[in-house]
Amino acid sequence: MRPDPDTPLFLERRGYRRRRIIDMLRILPFLGGLIFVAPALLLPAGETARLSLTLLYFFGVWVLLIFVCFTLSRGNGHGG
């Protein structure tokens, strides 16, 4: 039973999306850290990757994280 008939039953769509974007922005640093260490965790012991491929991987992940953060922050209304 709803306590007040004037209170909406469902959340406003824009407010709901904004909170979900804020949640994604809060999780992004942890996800980024996991993506950075994933190759070290997945490679077999004793096997090393070439330095050039490793640097390209880190640079690519770094650019991807910047792009995702920029996109989410613009969707949140705080972007440049």
Side-chain angles (χ1 to χ4, degrees):
M1 182 186 282
R2 292 174 38 190
D4 184 13
D6 294 330
T7 305
L9 182 60
F10 297 103
L11 295 174
E12 170 186 0
R13 186 177 297 244
R14 189 167 70 178
Y16 177 78
R17 285 187 180 173
R18 186 176 179 140
R19 282 190 292 276
R20 294 298 72 83
I21 289 174
I22 290 171
D23 290 344
M24 286 187 273
L25 285 168
R26 288 179 180 162
I27 291 173
L28 191 61
F30 300 105
L31 180 64
L34 182 65
I35 292 172
F36 270 116
V37 299
L41 296 173
L42 297 176
L43 285 177
E47 185 177 331
T48 58
R50 300 178 75 168
L51 181 61
S52 60
L53 292 177
T54 304
L55 290 176
L56 284 174
Y57 173 79
F58 284 127
F59 182 73
V61 169
W62 179 60
V63 169
L64 178 70
L65 288 172
I66 290 172
F67 176 74
V68 170
C69 185
F70 176 75
T71 304
L72 289 175
S73 64
R74 284 194 50 105
N76 191 26
H78 290 113

